[in-house]
Amino acid sequence: MITCNTLQNNTYLNTKLAAFYANCGQMTEAQFIFGHIVLKNSFLWNFMIRGFACNGYSLESIVLYREMMSFGQKPNNFTYPFVLMACGNMVLVEMGRRVHCETVVCGLDSNVFVGNSLLAMYAKFKDVEMMRIVFDRMPVRDLTSWNTMISGYVKNGEPGEALLVFGTMGKAGIIADCTTLLGILSACAALAALKEGEAVHSNAIQKNLVKANNFLSNSLIEMYCSCNSMVIAKRLFEELTWKDTVAWNSLISGYARNGNSFESLRYFCRMLVEGVLPDKVTFVIVLGACGLITALQFGLSVHSCIVTKGFDTNAMVGTALMDMYSKCGSLACSSHVFEEMTNKNLVSWSAMITGYGLHGKGREAVSVFQEMKANGIVLDEGVFTSVLSACSHAGLVNEGKEIFHSMRNVHNIKPVIAHYSCMVDLLGRAGRLDEAYEFVEKMEVKPTSDVWAALLSASRLSRNVELAELSAQKVFELHPKGVGSYVCLSNIYAAEQRWDDVERVRALVRRKGLKKEPGCSFVELDKVVHSFLVGDKSHQQAVEIYAKLKELCKLAVEIYAKLNELCKLVSEAGYKPDTSLVFYDVGEEVKEKMLWDHSERLAIAFALIKSGPGTIIRITKNLRTCGDCHTVTKLISKLTCREIIMRDTHRFHHFRDGYCSCGDYW
């Protein structure tokens, strides 16, 4: 038992003991002994400052540093690195700069350890310019200096600069270690720089580092996933002798990010079978994959697993659950999760607003937005994007304009391109095309391809060919590889039967080597997700599907005849497909057949065959659904007494009893 008398009588022993406790991270004991030592030397001050800085007591470290100076003790090259670390950890910019000045006055800024600490501090301050200045002024640089620069650039969103530093490092004859390669792989992943990533992989193999270092193996898997090289990523994963949760997460996330949610969910199931415990990151990834393909039944099972594992109280997982339910068409479940969340953060509120917006419930989205403000939540740019998008989907022009103007006037948030795009979309959808164009002309920032694309889409709705051509030309200049705008302009010409112009645009697409994504729809039955392409006859039940479509077509003719008779709107009975939505110069009969080959109709027919009466049908389409499919789906919902929930790239459509939740405003 250490007594006060013992502490007072043996300064040497007490100094060693306090330093020992500080070195072990036992700062309470170290502080107790330190307080009873009368004659404190620089060795002890440095150990205490270091102990506080390295064990999460940054403020105490800085306070002790100031106290040290007040006692006349001079800081040295063992003091400053940890004081700078503490400043960086707390992002005390002014304090950090002051300490930097003190190192210059003392002549210690040229010390390599102090210099490295300055680099790390400015990286934490996100001041890459000052970080570079310090690096360039360093008379001596070690491997840590180069590694700190590389990781600093990567963490601050400048992976290209990190690669340049790595190249300079090689020319300087510095041999990279595992830390260097980890940083560079992160840069390659951020840039999707496959060639550079492969070079790093080769370097690691030559040094025999891959099998010996699990961190490096996981980083390689992540890099190849980011470069859409899933074959190599999978091979590296399978070669791992020990697959940790990070490795599983990287591969599961890689498949989801690269559009293969099926493989993502398959590997998640395999992960559970092999007894690897998923973490909150795993569940967030898997819930995102479920949302991409409307795998609601699978998502419900994942929710059950989340509750079992005790992650249901985590805000990040809860937000992912909300997002999954919303994207799977179950807005009620999404709202329930939101209401049950005890710790709602900014992202949670924003996700709920987005969910209401996707389902066309703009007024509910605005209501949540107002509730969010009433709860004192500090708003950011993302929340305004969500609520403005919700206003656009619901045609709430006045509300949207008021919220947009409040950004700067009330909340002191400067609108960015995403907000301008939402406003153009809002005005355009509402038929205020001239106002939308005037809005673009008066923008405070230069319009991007997204803004012009929104105006192009609005021009299509209003069939304004002249403005469509102007908008399309702007998009072509700013985003020449985006095939969507070429397709949109081609469709506008086709609707006007300007077939020469249609062929001209399509020839331009072929010349540029661009390809339009084929229409694909997903439907989940018994936790199995089925996919259908346009005109798809590859499904094992294709004969039944097409027979069902033929049956539905006949029923559609009958219901339209009845509707026409009752409403006396037209004299000719029978279903009239809107063949103006087929943008090919072919005969009417061929156009009608092409409409019935659309992927969402195939998915609906399959669901009708394979599910019982009253079962809700949930469809996800990778493109915007066409007007004729929208009309037909309304009829199918009435004829079959089914609710059909369809999600396309723009929004959700809830079809019930011959009506759609969008009110034909989409």
Side-chain angles (χ1 to χ4, degrees):
M1 180 80 181
I2 298 172
T3 65
C4 290
N5 289 332
T6 307
L7 293 170
Q8 289 173 352
N9 295 334
N10 196 328
T11 301
Y12 176 79
L13 173 63
N14 298 332
T15 298
K16 289 290 186 181
L17 197 57
F20 167 76
Y21 278 121
N23 197 44
C24 294
Q26 302 297 315
M27 296 313 298
T28 303
E29 292 83 353
Q31 180 68 38
F32 176 76
I33 299 169
F34 178 80
H36 286 84
I37 299 174
V38 177
L39 299 173
K40 303 177 177 73
N41 58 23
S42 60
F43 170 83
L44 179 58
W45 285 102
N46 287 343
F47 253 100
M48 290 297 293
I49 290 169
R50 174 192 175 192
F52 280 125
C54 294
N55 291 285
Y57 301 98
S58 296
L59 182 60
E60 288 83 349
S61 180
I62 294 169
V63 169
L64 204 61
Y65 162 69
R66 285 305 182 196
E67 188 180 330
M68 173 187 180
M69 295 181 71
S70 70
F71 274 94
Q73 288 283 352
K74 288 187 177 181
N76 56 31
N77 58 313
F78 294 105
T79 315
Y80 283 116
F82 300 104
V83 177
L84 293 167
M85 176 196 290
C87 292
N89 289 341
M90 296 189 70
V91 198
L92 299 173
V93 179
E94 291 304 317
M95 181 71 185
R97 291 183 186 279
R98 197 176 306 129
V99 176
H100 184 182
C101 291
E102 290 171 12
T103 65
V104 174
V105 172
C106 296
L108 289 172
D109 60 319
S110 59
N111 179 276
V112 68
F113 301 111
V114 175
N116 290 343
S117 299
L118 283 167
L119 292 176
M121 180 186 74
Y122 282 115
K124 290 173 184 174
F125 291 168
K126 301 186 182 302
D127 190 347
V128 291
E129 185 178 344
M130 196 63 201
M131 183 180 74
R132 184 78 213 195
I133 290 171
V134 171
F135 181 77
D136 289 340
R137 288 177 179 173
M138 289 177 71
V140 179
R141 303 178 189 129
D142 61 8
L143 183 57
T144 302
S145 312
W146 293 92
N147 288 347
T148 305
M149 282 297 290
I150 290 169
S151 65
Y153 275 126
V154 171
K155 289 175 182 176
N156 285 289
E158 297 193 22
E161 290 295 321
L163 290 180
L164 290 175
V165 171
F166 181 60
T168 308
M169 176 181 170
K171 292 174 183 176
I174 307 296
I175 299 173
D177 66 355
C178 201
T179 303
T180 317
L181 299 183
L182 285 169
I184 290 301
L185 284 172
S186 295
C188 293
L191 293 167
L194 180 60
K195 184 179 178 181
E196 291 81 356
E198 288 175 332
V200 174
H201 189 182
S202 177
N203 190 323
I205 291 172
Q206 289 173 8
K207 295 180 179 179
N208 201 28
L209 293 173
V210 179
K211 292 184 179 180
N213 191 303
N214 234 51
F215 292 109
L216 192 59
S217 297
N218 290 343
S219 292
L220 281 166
I221 293 169
E222 178 64 28
M223 183 274 294
Y224 280 115
C225 287
S226 297
C227 296
N228 198 14
S229 295
M230 294 308 300
V231 174
I232 303 175
K234 179 182 175 182
R235 190 187 73 218
L236 285 171
F237 176 81
E238 298 296 352
E239 288 174 356
L240 288 174
T241 52
W242 178 59
K243 302 175 179 68
D244 61 10
T245 304
V246 175
W248 285 96
N249 286 351
S250 294
L251 197 69
I252 292 169
S253 174
Y255 277 118
R257 290 200 313 265
N258 289 295
N260 195 340
S261 293
F262 299 101
E263 278 297 287
S264 181
L265 299 183
R266 191 174 74 81
Y267 269 94
F268 171 67
C269 293
R270 182 180 153 189
M271 178 184 185
L272 296 178
V273 169
E274 295 190 14
V276 182
L277 291 175
D279 60 10
K280 60 185 178 183
V281 175
T282 317
F283 286 119
V284 170
I285 295 166
V286 170
L287 289 169
C290 290
L292 287 172
I293 54 175
T294 322
L296 178 62
Q297 294 169 0
F298 195 98
L300 286 165
S301 298
V302 175
H303 190 174
S304 177
C305 187
I306 286 169
V307 174
T308 303
K309 303 291 183 184
F311 287 109
D312 52 316
T313 58
N314 182 273
M316 184 171 71
V317 176
T319 302
L321 272 169
M322 287 167 50
D323 187 59
M324 181 276 292
Y325 280 125
S326 173
K327 289 179 178 176
C328 289
S330 184
L331 192 57
C333 287
S334 180
S335 179
H336 178 72
V337 172
F338 178 72
E339 294 299 330
E340 291 293 312
M341 287 178 69
T342 53
N343 298 313
K344 298 182 182 75
N345 57 23
L346 180 66
V347 181
S348 309
W349 286 92
S350 185
M352 194 68 252
I353 292 169
T354 300
Y356 278 125
L358 281 173
H359 289 264
K361 296 185 177 292
R363 298 203 179 277
E364 288 85 344
V366 172
S367 176
V368 172
F369 176 71
Q370 299 297 348
E371 184 185 349
M372 183 181 181
K373 291 196 297 180
N375 278 273
I377 307 295
V378 179
L379 309 180
D380 69 350
E381 294 176 357
V383 173
F384 279 100
T385 303
S386 298
V387 72
L388 287 173
S389 178
C391 289
S392 175
H393 285 303
L396 304 178
V397 178
N398 292 334
E399 291 86 343
K401 290 171 74 172
E402 182 181 339
I403 290 170
F404 179 80
H405 291 304
S406 75
M407 286 183 66
R408 191 192 302 275
N409 301 334
V410 179
H411 303 283
N412 199 28
I413 295 177
K414 186 178 180 181
V416 295
I417 286 298
H419 306 123
Y420 287 111
S421 295
C422 287
M423 287 302 296
V424 173
D425 192 54
L426 171 65
L427 296 168
R429 282 175 186 269
R432 302 187 183 186
L433 202 57
D434 292 338
E435 190 177 346
Y437 180 64
E438 184 181 350
F439 182 84
V440 174
E441 290 287 284
K442 292 181 178 179
M443 279 175 54
E444 295 180 6
V445 294
K446 185 178 180 180
T448 63
S449 60
D450 289 337
V451 173
W452 288 111
L455 193 61
L456 173 61
S457 180
S459 302
R460 180 188 62 80
L461 293 172
S462 299
R463 301 187 74 163
N464 188 320
V465 180
E466 184 180 349
L467 188 55
E469 290 175 327
L470 186 151
S471 304
Q473 189 56 46
K474 294 287 186 181
V475 179
F476 298 162
E477 292 170 4
L478 296 167
H479 188 39
K481 292 187 178 180
V483 70
S485 297
Y486 291 95
V487 173
C488 187
L489 182 61
S490 173
N491 291 348
I492 291 169
Y493 284 140
E496 300 297 318
Q497 297 190 1
R498 291 170 55 171
W499 301 113
D500 290 342
D501 288 323
V502 169
E503 182 52 38
R504 176 175 56 80
V505 175
R506 288 177 179 169
L508 185 61
V509 170
R510 290 193 295 269
R511 193 160 60 248
K512 289 179 175 288
L514 305 176
K515 290 186 178 180
K516 176 180 178 286
E517 187 178 10
C520 182
S521 294
F522 304 99
V523 60
E524 182 193 31
L525 292 170
D526 299 324
K527 297 184 183 179
V528 177
V529 179
H530 301 263
S531 61
F532 297 88
L533 294 170
V534 174
D536 193 353
K537 297 184 180 179
S538 62
H539 197 279
Q540 57 187 4
Q541 291 184 273
V543 175
E544 291 179 63
I545 292 168
Y546 273 87
K548 190 69 177 179
L549 282 173
K550 189 174 181 181
E551 175 189 335
L552 289 171
C553 187
K554 290 179 180 177
L555 289 171
V557 172
E558 293 176 22
I559 194 69
Y560 257 92
K562 187 67 175 177
L563 287 171
N564 290 334
E565 177 188 332
L566 294 172
C567 301
K568 298 181 180 180
L569 295 176
V570 292
S571 58
E572 183 180 357
Y575 168 53
K576 295 291 184 181
D578 187 0
T579 55
S580 68
L581 295 169
V582 177
F583 305 116
Y584 292 90
D585 189 15
V586 293
E588 289 298 304
E589 189 176 331
V590 176
K591 286 184 178 182
E592 289 183 27
K593 184 182 182 302
M594 290 174 74
L595 285 171
W596 280 98
D597 277 347
H598 281 191
S599 63
E600 56 265 57
R601 303 194 196 191
L602 301 177
I604 291 169
F606 174 74
L608 289 170
I609 294 166
K610 302 299 291 180
S611 63
T615 305
I616 297 174
I617 297 173
R618 302 174 191 273
I619 307 291
T620 298
K621 187 174 181 181
N622 65 335
L623 304 175
R624 189 174 187 268
T625 190
C626 76
D628 193 67
C629 284
H630 191 265
T631 300
V632 166
T633 308
K634 285 194 293 184
L635 285 170
I636 293 173
S637 72
K638 184 176 181 66
L639 292 165
T640 60
C641 299
R642 295 287 196 100
E643 181 179 355
I644 302 171
I645 301 174
M646 184 185 298
R647 182 181 113 206
D648 65 11
T649 52
H650 281 64
R651 59 168 296 152
F652 271 91
H653 301 268
H654 294 251
F655 299 95
R656 185 186 297 151
D657 197 30
Y659 296 94
C660 180
S661 60
C662 73
D664 296 335
Y665 183 87
W666 55 287

